[in-house]
Amino acid sequence: MQKFSIFVTKYAKAIVSIWIVFFLVMGYFALQLPSKLQGDGFFVKDDHSKTMQELSETFDLPAKTIFVLFENKTDDEITVALNKLEQVKSIQEIISPIGIEQLQNGDFSYALLHFGNDVADYFPVVDEIREILSYDQDISITGEPAISKDINVASQKDLMQAEAIGLPIALIVLLLAFGTVVASLLPVIIGAATVIVSFGVLTLLSGTFDLSIFILNIVPMLGLALSIDFALLFINRYREERHTKSIEQAVQIAIQTAGRSIIFSALCVMIGLGAMVVIKVEIFQNIALGGSIVVFLAIVSGLTLLPATIMLLGDRLNKWRILRVTQKATKWQAFAAFVMRRPLLIIVVALALLGAAIIPVKDMDLTIPSKESLPTSYESRATFDKMERAFDFGADAVVYLLAERSNGWDNEDGLTKMLDIQQQLQQEALVKKVDSLFTTAQIDAVEIWQAANIDPKLQAVQAHFIQEDKMYMAVYLDANGSSTEAQDFVREWKDKDLGVPFTLAGAPKFNQEIFDEIASKIGLALIIIMITTFIILMIAFRSILIPVKAIIMNVIGLASTFGLIVYIFQYGHLGIEAGTVVLIMPVIVFCLVFGLSMDYEVFLISRIQEEYLKGADNTTATVDGLVSTSKIITSAALIMIVITGAFAFTDVMPVKQIGVGIAIAIAIDATVIRLMLVPSLMKLFGDWNWWLPFAKKK
C-alpha cells in the first residue's frame, strides 16, 4: 500500500483528469440504462421457460398476453377499441369478449391480446397500446408486460424520490461529522460518480446480460451508501493525521490505514454478492453482477479519486465551516468504561433484545411478488385487482403438460397413452378439469375417436393438441399458482413415470422452480460467505476468535432483522398494510448486509488491533479503539441507514422491504452488536482475541 499511496499523491492531477473523462463517457451510457432493463428478474432457465417456448413455437400458444378490461361498454364500443388495436403489428391474435360468456360479468368484460416469441421489448408495445386506448378512461390494460412496464416507471420514480430524501439527510450527517461544506460534499460527489459510472458499465453489459428492473434501485442504494461510508472513514483518518503531518503524508497514511480497511470491508461485501451467483435465479445473478461492479468501483474511487481530490484541495477541504466539530470524546470514553466494567450485563441485555426481535421469524410467509409489487395507483395493478374481483382472476392455476413420443401420438398406442395420462390427472383431488384432445372433443374412448376423426372439426382439435411427436394438455388446478398446494402438485408430478418423457410449465411450475432453486442453493451460498469471510478476517486480524465472533453475531443480528421485517410488513405495523414478505428479501439482505456490516467490524477491530500492536493491553486497546471509532461508525451507519431507509418511502414493495431490511440490519449492527456486544466480548476473552495457531506471540 505504501508504493500505491506514493503513486496516488504523485499523480493526483492525472488521476482526477482520467476520472472526469471516464465519468463523462460513462454518464452518456448511464442515461440509457432504464431502457435496457426488462422484467422483474424472477426467471430460472428450467422446464417452465423451455416448455412455454416450445408450446409457443409448436402449438401457437401465446408467449405473453395483455388483458384489456372494458367497464360499461357496449359491443360496438368494444369492437371500435379492438379495431384500433389491430394497428399494433406485434399482436399475434386478439380475442374479443363479444359472444364469449366467460369473458363477461355484469358491467365488466375483457379482451386478450396474444403475442408470439418475436417481441424482444414489450415496453414500446405497452406504450403504443396505452396511447391507442387513451381516449377512454374506462378501458385499461394489465398482464405481465404492462406490470413490468409500470414497475420500471415506478423504479425510476423511486430512485429519484429516495435520493431526494436520503442524500440531503446524509449531507447533514456529514456536516455534523466534519463541520465544513467542502468536506461534507466530497463523499456525496464520490458516491454519485461511482453510481453513474456503474450505470454506464451496466448499460454496456446489457447486450450480454438480461438485466432486471430492480438493478435501478439496488445499485445506487448500495453504491451511494458504501462510497459515502468509505469516504467518511478516509477523510476522518486524513484529518486526524493532518494535525501533525503534511497534506501529502496525511493522504498517504490514510491510504495505508483507512485504505486497507476499505479493501477488506469491500471484499466482505463482494463475497456476499458473489455468493448469490450460485442461485440460478436471474435477479440474484443481476444483483451479484451490478453489486460487484459498484462495490469494485467504490474501492477504486475511494482509493484513487478521493485521495487525489484531497491532494488538489489541500486545506481547502475545511473551507466554508458551518460547525465547530469538537475532537473530545468524553461521552464515548464514559460509555466504553461502562462496557468494560459490566461486560456480562451488556451481553445479556443485548442478546435478550435481539432474541425478542427474532421471535416473529417463525411466522415468515415468503411469496414471489407480481402485481403486489405495485401500489393500486398504477393502471396495471388497479386493472388486475378489478379483474380479480369480477372474474376471480388468478384463482385457478393452469399447468401445461408437454409430452413427447418417438412413434407419434396419432395411432392407437399413442392415443391410449394420452387418454391414460389424462385420466391420471383427472383422478387428482386438486385438478378441476383437463383440456386435452379427448375432453375438447367430448370423447372418452380411443375407438370412438378413431372412428370419428374423419370429421374436419375433430381434425382441427387434433392439430391443436398434437404436432408430430409432441402432445400437450392444459390442467386447471383448484388453487392459486403461488400456493403451496399448487407447487406440491407439480413437485409430485414432475417425478412421475408416465412411460413417455414430459415436462411441465405454468404458474405453479414457475413458482416451484424459483422456490426450489433458492432452497437448494441458499445453504451453499451461506457456506461460501461464512468460510471466505472467516478467512479474510483471520488474515486481516491474525485471529481465530475475532472472525468466529463476527460471523455468529452477524447471523444473530440478521435473524433479528428478519423478525422485525415480519413484524412490520407481514403483521402490518408502522402504517404498513399486512401482507407477505418478498421471497428475495431475506436472501438479498443476508448476502448484502453480511458484507456491509463487516465494514463496522473492520473499522472497529482495525483500530483496536492498531493500538494493541503498539503495545497497549487488550482492555486499553479495546477502549481506545471504541472511543476513536464510535463517532465515525455512528456517522457511517446513519448515512447507510438514511440512504437505504429512504427506500421505505418508495412504491415498489420488493425494493421497499429490501431498503428497510438493510436499514434495520445496519442499525442493529452499528449499535447493539458493534458498540455493545463486540467490546464486551473483547473484554471477556482478553488476549485470546489475538490467538492464532503457529503465529508469533505479541
Side-chain angles (χ1 to χ4, degrees), residues 165-433:
I165 295 170
L167 287 179
I169 301 175
L171 189 57
I172 292 170
V173 175
L174 288 167
L175 279 169
L176 292 173
F178 294 140
T180 67
V181 173
V182 175
S184 303
L185 281 173
L186 187 55
V188 177
I189 293 169
I190 298 297
T194 301
V195 170
I196 289 170
V197 171
S198 300
F199 275 177
V201 173
L202 285 167
T203 301
L204 295 177
L205 293 174
S206 63
T208 306
F209 301 94
D210 294 327
L211 297 179
S212 158
I213 292 165
F214 296 127
I215 281 286
L216 205 58
N217 300 114
I218 301 296
V219 167
M221 183 193 299
L222 185 59
L224 281 172
L226 267 182
S227 296
I228 294 174
D229 264 12
F230 290 165
L232 179 65
L233 172 69
F234 190 96
I235 293 172
N236 183 72
R237 187 55 186 262
Y238 163 78
R239 293 176 84 178
E240 281 184 25
E241 299 298 333
R242 183 68 183 97
H243 290 302
T244 56
K245 309 286 191 312
S246 68
I247 293 170
E248 185 175 352
Q249 289 174 325
V251 169
Q252 289 177 2
I253 292 172
I255 292 174
Q256 293 166 30
T257 55
R260 180 176 178 273
S261 296
I262 287 170
I263 290 171
F264 278 114
S265 299
L267 279 174
C268 290
V269 177
M270 292 182 76
I271 287 165
L273 289 163
M276 283 193 279
V277 171
V278 303
I279 305 174
K280 303 300 182 184
V281 179
E282 188 176 271
I283 190 167
F284 297 124
Q285 309 279 305
N286 281 186
I287 292 173
L289 173 67
S292 296
I293 288 170
V294 78
V295 173
F296 174 75
L297 287 170
I299 301 173
V300 176
S301 64
L303 296 183
T304 58
L305 178 60
L306 176 60
T309 305
I310 292 174
M311 277 294 297
L312 298 183
L313 286 173
D315 288 333
R316 285 172 293 182
L317 184 70
N318 299 319
K319 198 172 181 182
W320 300 331
R321 182 170 296 281
I322 292 177
L323 298 170
R324 180 66 57 183
V325 178
T326 177
Q327 297 301 317
K328 294 180 181 179
T330 52
K331 290 182 179 178
W332 289 115
Q333 285 172 340
F335 175 77
F338 174 77
V339 172
M340 292 298 102
R341 286 195 305 270
R342 297 177 176 84
L344 281 174
L345 175 63
I346 295 292
I347 291 170
V348 170
V349 170
L351 291 178
L353 290 171
L354 295 174
I358 290 172
I359 293 171
V361 170
K362 61 182 174 56
D363 299 324
M364 184 180 283
D365 180 17
L366 299 172
T367 58
I368 297 174
S370 178
K371 52 99 175 177
E372 296 85 2
S373 296
L374 289 166
T376 54
S377 57
Y378 284 84
E379 181 194 51
S380 59
R381 169 68 190 272
T383 304
F384 193 101
D385 288 347
K386 289 176 183 177
M387 294 182 69
E388 203 170 37
R389 290 191 295 269
F391 300 97
D392 207 14
F393 201 58
D396 298 334
V398 182
V399 175
Y400 296 98
L401 185 150
L402 177 66
E404 190 170 349
R405 188 171 182 272
S406 56
N407 294 326
W409 296 92
D410 187 20
N411 53 63
E412 185 173 350
D413 289 341
L415 292 167
T416 301
K417 173 59 67 178
M418 190 189 309
L419 185 59
D420 176 60
I421 294 171
Q422 173 193 308
Q423 290 171 345
Q424 286 188 57
L425 286 165
Q426 289 171 328
Q427 290 170 7
E428 294 283 350
L430 200 64
V431 173
K432 289 180 70 175
K433 68 170 184 172

